[in-house]
Amino acid sequence: MATAQQVQNFIETIAPIVQKKCKEHGWGVPSAIIGQAGLESAWGTSGLAKTCSNLFGMKWKEGCGTGYKVIGFA
């Protein structure tokens, strides 16, 4: 579980990026995207978030054109 400070750091780090991308692409509400990324990545503390910069827990699929990384679960 992330600490209050980790949550704050996560939000402060990704909020400007999400806000910029939402404006560029006409996406919905930045706060919803930030919140979902936080929930799915344990506020940036999950293995996928830390080692793969994967905030949404997307899974690799054979033939998708990219490499993959195996992360153990605690």
Side-chain angles (χ1 to χ4, degrees):
M1 182 175 208
T3 66
Q5 187 61 55
Q6 289 171 313
V7 172
Q8 186 65 34
N9 291 345
F10 178 86
I11 293 170
E12 289 175 0
T13 299
I14 73 162
I17 298 164
V18 173
Q19 290 168 339
K20 178 182 176 192
K21 293 299 179 181
C22 283
K23 186 175 181 180
E24 287 175 4
H25 299 285
W27 295 341
V29 182
S31 59
I33 296 169
I34 294 165
Q36 192 65 36
L39 291 174
E40 292 194 31
S41 71
W43 302 101
T45 65
S46 72
L48 280 175
K50 290 195 285 188
T51 63
C52 300
S53 299
N54 185 337
L55 302 181
F56 292 98
M58 297 176 140
K59 307 301 184 264
W60 181 85
K61 177 180 163 186
E62 188 171 351
C64 72
T66 63
Y68 67 95
K69 184 169 185 111
V70 175
I71 303 290
F73 295 95

